[in-house]
Structure formats: C-alpha cells, structure tokens
C-alpha cells in the first residue's frame, strides 16, 4: 500500500499484524479453509480502514463475501461501490438483507447506475422488529444511483424493497420497478413500501417507483412516512393494498399524505387498494358486494368500487360502508 494513502496509523499497524498472522497460516499444516477465509476477510477489513477505501462489488461472489463479513463480524464497510449489474436469476434461495448483526445499515452505497434484479429478499431481526429489504434499517445511510428490478420481498413487520426502515437517511436517484412486497398475515402492524416500509426524517429525491405490487397493513408506493422529504420523485402503475392506512404520494406537490381507515370488524382483511389516481376497495379473503359513503363519491366499475384519491385530504375522516361475503 502506498504510504501516502494511509489515513489511519492505528489500522495500518493492525493490518501489518494481520499480514504476519496470515503468513503463518501458509506453513500451518492444520490450517482450515475457514481459517484462510477469515484471514482474507480481516486483511480486506484492515486494509479498507487503513486507507479509507470503499468495498468493491463487481460480481455476485463479491456480494456474498460482503454478506459473510456482515454476518460473521457484524461489520459493514463505510463505503461500498457497485461496479456491475447483478442478476440473481440462477440463485433460487432468499438473500438476507445487507445489514450488520443488529439489522442496521449506516454506510454509503454507490450504485453507479447499476441494477440488481431477480432477487428473492429474505428477512432478519433488529432490536424492535422482524424486517425485510435489500438493505436492513437505513440509519443515517446514503444510497445513490441504484435500481432494483423484479425483487420478491419476504413478509415482515417492516417490509420494503430497497430497505426496511429509513431514519435520517438520504436516498438519491434510485428506482424500484416490477417488484413485490408480500403480505404478512401474522402482523397487525406491517408497514410496506417500494422504497422502504417506513421513512422517518429522511429525504428521498429523484427516485422512481414503477410497476410494483405492495401489500401491508400500512402501505405506500414509496414508504409509510413521518416528516420525510420527497423531491422530484415519480410513480407509475403501482398496485398498493392496505388494511389500515395508505401513504399517498402527490407527485405535483412532492407531498406524502397518510390516509387512515379503521376496518370493522378489525380482522376482516378488507383492503383499500391504490392504483394510479384511484383508491378502490377489494379483499384478499372476501367478495365485496356493495360500497357507499356519505362523505366522498364512490363509483363502481366492473367488480370494483373506486374513490378518486385527488378528492382526499390529510385531515379528512372518510366513512365507507362495505358489505361483503366470504
């Protein structure tokens, strides 16, 4: 390593110690493959910390090595570069979220306008919840220039395609398309979205969500949001299904509005579905036979009942009467 590039003397010394320890493995007849793998991982870790170099992902193997580092050592590089498109079509297993052992991702991820596609995203646990997403909970993280396409996300309490939670995070120029967040029948509080399940005090800018299908108790095209900023974002042809609340994006004003509803009976699983500019009533478990409201206009087309979402406001409490049969 060029000495002029070393930014941390502490980690440079630790790297030298690890080099000597690694050399000794070469003459150790009882050395295992796992010993060698661990040595390589530690060498990469100390090298990165010594020179502040990003971790480079140029292949699926590089990605799984990073997952191994996270799982075995609870460590995530502070900067990560994606240097190629990754297609997981030939990998039939679920891929765990990219996060440390506590379920958090707090680093900078440079997507470099590459695409991750055909990935089955599993779930993990943090101290609060069962979560799912390509990243875990984005805690102060920065995600740039990344596209995720045709992802299938496992159901969890907080479920998103890009990430689970976002808190004090910045997400810039990211696209999520043709992906599915699955419904968690066993959760009373599942929050879901194409970007994240929940977004708290975060900024989402120049992002696009298109052709996604999102299921949840609380669900949105982007994320179920609390005091988050959306700038120059677009959405198209998404299907969003919720049983308790929709977080609706007003593209013209770059604004997110949370629309709450209280189903009665509470376990009816009547879904309020959002598709393009309309909210419609449907159900996973029942057949809706009639729908009416004294506060908003309800229209029927085919088998569905529609409410124009442009007529709904943040402060509205809308009572919709729904009859259904099993």
């Amino acid at each position: 390593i060029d000495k002029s590039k070393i930014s941390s003397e502490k980690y440079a010394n630790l790297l030298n110690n690890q080099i000597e320890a690694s050399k000794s493995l070469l003459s150790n007849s009882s050395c295992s493959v796992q010993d060698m793998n661990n040595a390589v991982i530690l060498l990469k870790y100390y090298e990165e910390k010594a020179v502040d170099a990003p971790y480079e992902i140029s292949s699926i193997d590089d990605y799984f090595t990073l997952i191994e580092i996270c799982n075995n050592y609870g460590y995530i590089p502070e900067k990560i570069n994606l240097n190629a498109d990754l297609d997981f079509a030939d990998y039939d297993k679920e891929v765990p979220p990219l996060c440390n052992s506590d379920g958090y991702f707090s680093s900078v991820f440079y997507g470099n306008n590459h695409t991750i596609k055909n990935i089955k995203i599993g779930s993990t646990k943090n101290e609060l919840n069962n979560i799912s997403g390509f990243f875990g909970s984005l805690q102060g993280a920065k995600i740039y220039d990344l596209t995720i396409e045709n992802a299938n996300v496992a159901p969890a309490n907080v479920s998103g395609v890009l990430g689970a939670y976002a808190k004090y995070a910045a997400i810039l120029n990211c696209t999520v398309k043709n992906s599915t967040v699955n419904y968690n029948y066993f959760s009373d509080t599942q929050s879901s979205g194409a970007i994240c399940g929940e977004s708290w005090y975060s900024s989402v800018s120049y992002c696009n969500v298109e052709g996604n299908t999102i299921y949840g108790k609380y669900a949105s095209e982007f994320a179920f949001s609390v005091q988050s900023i959306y700038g120059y974002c677009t959405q198209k042809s998404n299907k969003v299904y919720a049983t308790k609340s929709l977080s609706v994006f007003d593209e013209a004003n770059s604004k997110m509005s949370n629309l709450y509803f209280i189903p009665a009976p509470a376990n009816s699983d009547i879904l309020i579905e959002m598709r393009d500019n309309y909210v419609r009533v449907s159900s996973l478990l029942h057949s809706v036979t009639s729908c009416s409201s004294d506060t908003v206009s309800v229209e029927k087309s085919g088998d569905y009942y529609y409410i124009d979402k442009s007529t709904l406001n943040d402060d509205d409490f809308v009572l919709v009467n729904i009859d259904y049969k099993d």
Side-chain angles (χ1 to χ4, degrees):
I1 300 174
D2 184 343
K3 288 184 179 180
S4 66
K5 293 182 179 180
I6 291 177
S7 57
S8 170
E9 185 176 350
K10 170 187 172 182
Y11 281 105
N13 291 331
L14 289 171
L15 175 59
N16 282 331
N17 293 339
Q18 184 59 43
I19 288 172
E20 294 305 316
S22 301
K23 284 180 180 178
S24 67
L25 294 177
L26 299 176
S27 58
N28 185 345
S29 59
S30 62
C31 173
S32 68
V33 172
Q34 187 61 49
D35 291 335
M36 295 293 286
N37 286 339
N38 290 342
V40 170
I41 289 169
L42 287 171
L43 285 168
K44 288 184 177 180
Y45 168 68
Y46 290 130
E47 177 189 6
E48 179 188 315
K49 297 296 284 187
V51 301
D52 194 27
Y55 182 91
E56 306 287 346
I57 301 176
S58 300
S59 67
I60 289 180
D61 286 343
D62 291 340
Y63 176 77
F64 281 123
T65 298
L66 178 59
I67 291 290
E68 183 179 356
I69 293 172
C70 298
N71 290 344
N72 288 350
Y73 298 98
Y75 157 76
I76 298 178
E78 294 179 5
K79 298 176 184 177
I80 301 171
N81 269 335
L82 180 62
N83 300 322
D85 296 342
L86 302 183
D87 188 347
F88 288 82
D90 295 330
Y91 188 81
D92 199 39
K93 298 178 181 179
E94 286 187 345
V95 177
L98 179 56
C99 55
N100 63 20
S101 54
D102 295 322
Y104 298 120
F105 183 90
S106 302
S107 302
V108 181
F109 188 96
Y110 298 99
N112 294 312
N113 296 311
H114 288 297
T115 298
I116 293 170
K117 60 183 179 180
N118 300 319
I119 186 171
K120 295 180 180 179
I121 299 173
S123 62
T124 189
K125 290 185 178 180
N126 65 6
E127 59 188 13
L128 299 175
N129 267 316
N130 189 37
I131 60 175
S132 58
F134 180 77
F135 300 99
S137 292
L138 301 171
Q139 302 288 315
K142 296 178 175 63
I143 313 297
Y144 300 128
D145 308 320
L146 176 65
T147 294
I148 299 180
E149 182 177 351
N150 196 31
N152 192 290
V153 181
N157 288 338
V158 185
S159 309
V161 179
L162 190 73
Y165 289 101
K167 193 169 185 179
Y168 302 110
I171 303 169
L172 176 66
N173 193 32
C174 292
T175 295
V176 176
K177 59 193 300 186
N178 302 330
S179 297
T180 300
V181 176
N182 289 286
Y183 189 65
N184 188 347
Y185 287 93
F186 307 104
S187 171
D188 292 330
T189 59
Q190 181 189 13
S191 48
S192 306
I195 295 295
C196 292
E198 295 181 14
S199 176
W200 294 70
Y201 317 112
S202 297
S203 65
V204 181
S205 304
Y206 295 97
C207 290
N208 175 57
V209 294
E210 180 177 348
N212 302 294
T213 302
I214 311 296
Y215 292 98
K217 302 293 184 181
Y218 303 85
S220 174
E221 302 129 315
F222 285 89
F224 191 79
S225 300
V226 178
Q227 295 187 19
S228 290
I229 298 171
Y230 292 81
Y232 306 101
C233 294
T234 58
Q235 64 84 24
K236 180 181 178 183
S237 302
N238 299 287
K239 303 174 187 178
V240 184
Y241 303 85
T243 59
K244 290 188 177 180
S245 179
L246 286 169
S247 198
V248 181
F249 181 64
D250 178 357
E251 188 172 320
N253 297 301
S254 295
K255 177 185 175 184
M256 194 73 75
S257 301
N258 294 331
L259 309 176
Y260 295 92
F261 36 91
I262 305 170
N267 62 351
S268 64
D269 274 314
I270 292 293
L271 290 163
I272 306 301
E273 173 192 349
M274 181 169 54
R275 185 178 297 196
D276 293 331
N277 290 321
Y278 290 90
V279 176
R280 78 182 189 185
V281 177
S282 60
S283 176
L284 288 177
L285 304 179
H286 312 286
S287 174
V288 176
T289 57
S290 68
C291 180
S292 62
S293 175
D294 294 331
T295 55
V296 294
S297 175
V298 179
E299 299 179 6
K300 184 177 182 182
S301 177
D303 294 330
Y304 296 94
Y305 295 86
Y306 290 87
I307 301 167
D308 187 339
K309 78 175 184 182
S310 66
T311 65
L312 300 172
N313 297 313
D314 266 359
D315 301 326
D316 282 352
F317 184 88
V318 177
L319 180 63
V320 180
N321 303 302
I322 301 167
D323 292 323
Y324 62 90
K325 62 183 180 181
D326 290 338

